Amino acid sequence: MARLKAVLWDMDGTIAESERDGHRLAFNMAFEDCGVRWRWDEARYGELLRITGGRERLLFDMNTRGDAPTVSEREAVARAIHAKKNAYYAELVAGGAIALRGGVLALMRQCRERGVRMGIATTTSRSNVEALMRVHLGERWADWFAVTVCGEDVKRKKPDPEVYLSALRSLAIGPLEAVAIEDAPGGLAAARAADIPVVVTRSAYFLKAPIEGAVAVGPGLHDRRGWRPALRAGDDDARGVDLDDIEGWCAQMDSVCDYP
Ligand code: XBP
């Protein structure tokens, strides 16, 4: 594999555990605001996460309900609720409700120190990316990333590879010069369909999901234990996963991980 030139970050579930206590809560607040009696509990939201895109997720859910608006009204209702949801999400995030996942900031800093460019490749709305990154990286958060591809920038959301193909095009690099960090099967499928090696840091909703074809799968960047392939135990297990580990996984991907 060519030397790593870019790390492409998924957002929801990977950079932060933003679904259960972020988007889900914000949807419920928006439902209340819009006078509908729907509420998504944690389990139902977990089922709905297989639909990427908040508006698409809501439309899917409406199709399962007896009390949904008529088919011709659904798109407009979904847009209105989704816009309110994003506003509530931004409030929750600004109030500090959503932390970065452990090890994320350390790896981002290391990328900057080493001149490895970073991109965000997400199918969430741009406003959500801005809200979360501003809180954690500051007003100049965009300087950290050479490219940020969001839900509005693509015709087809994950698991379609469009978001990743677009990021590669902007960075003018090949797929094997990048690595994607993802948390769930849909994101993994999107990156793999763009031929990008993928490291999976499982998130709360996908702890047991089948993961095939990643160069590595583990509990999170904060912990060197519990990875497949295993990381060499160091003197300092608290140090987390770093760029050398990721380059090592990518280098051995043919032999270890069944990666075509
Ligand atoms: C996550 C998503 C998003 C969020 C909500 O995508 O599927 O839909 O749940 O965001 P990714 P929106 O893993 O690519 O970050 O409501 O803005 O769609």
Side-chain angles (χ1 to χ4, degrees):
M1 152 146 186
R3 200 170 143 54
L4 191 59
K5 291 198 175 140
V7 171
L8 300 179
W9 294 90
D10 167 51
M11 168 123 303
D12 293 302
T14 300
I15 289 182
E17 284 282 9
S18 47
E19 295 290 6
R20 189 191 62 196
D21 300 329
H23 293 292
R24 183 185 71 88
L25 288 190
F27 265 116
N28 285 339
M29 291 158 127
F31 293 151
E32 170 129 38
D33 228 26
C34 293
V36 292
R37 292 165 53 155
W38 314 330
R39 298 293 181 268
W40 287 340
D41 63 20
E42 291 179 21
R44 176 63 180 154
Y45 194 70
E47 291 163 9
L48 291 170
L49 275 180
R50 66 175 187 276
I51 315 295
T52 43
R55 192 177 49 81
E56 293 83 348
R57 190 170 299 143
L58 178 53
L59 282 167
F60 175 90
D61 187 61
M62 280 188 206
N63 290 336
T64 69
R65 291 181 177 277
D67 60 348
T70 61
V71 174
S72 63
E73 291 167 340
R74 279 183 204 172
E75 186 65 47
V77 172
R79 273 185 200 286
I81 293 176
H82 186 245
K84 274 190 196 289
K85 183 281 282 183
N86 279 353
Y88 278 121
Y89 179 80
E91 273 179 30
L92 287 170
V93 166
I98 306 295
L100 296 184
R101 287 188 66 184
V104 166
L105 192 56
L107 186 64
M108 286 184 173
R109 288 199 172 120
Q110 194 185 31
C111 286
R112 274 159 70 92
E113 280 159 25
R114 292 214 190 160
V116 173
R117 288 184 294 167
M118 288 188 287
I120 294 178
T122 173
T123 43
T124 198
S125 312
R126 187 165 291 272
S127 66
N128 300 334
V129 174
E130 286 169 357
L132 191 71
M133 292 294 86
R134 183 172 294 120
V135 163
H136 293 290
L137 303 182
E139 279 306 318
R140 301 192 56 184
W141 69 269
D143 296 350
W144 289 53
F145 302 98
V147 60
T148 301
V149 187
C150 303
E152 295 92 332
D153 304 325
V154 291
K155 287 205 185 71
R156 292 168 303 278
K157 297 190 174 177
K158 296 175 187 176
D160 190 281
E162 190 178 349
V163 71
Y164 279 108
L165 293 172
S166 167
L168 290 177
R169 248 193 327 274
S170 296
L171 294 169
I173 59 173
L176 296 184
E177 295 175 309
V179 66
I181 310 203
E182 278 283 355
D183 68 303
L188 167 65
R192 286 221 44 204
D195 290 327
I196 299 171
V198 188
V199 169
V200 173
T201 59
R202 288 182 182 277
S203 61
Y205 272 118
F206 296 98
L207 291 176
K208 299 231 163 76
I211 298 291
E212 280 173 31
V215 297
V217 189
L221 296 170
H222 61 293
D223 199 337
R224 300 180 61 74
R225 294 160 305 181
W227 282 88
R228 202 163 39 90
L231 286 172
R232 214 156 37 89
D235 314 333
D236 181 12
D237 276 346
R239 120 175 112 90
V241 175
D242 63 18
L243 275 175
D244 295 331
D245 298 320
I246 291 175
E247 287 201 304
W249 280 324
C250 292
Q252 49 175 314
M253 66 186 175
D254 290 336
S255 54
V256 182
C257 249
D258 220 6
Y259 194 86

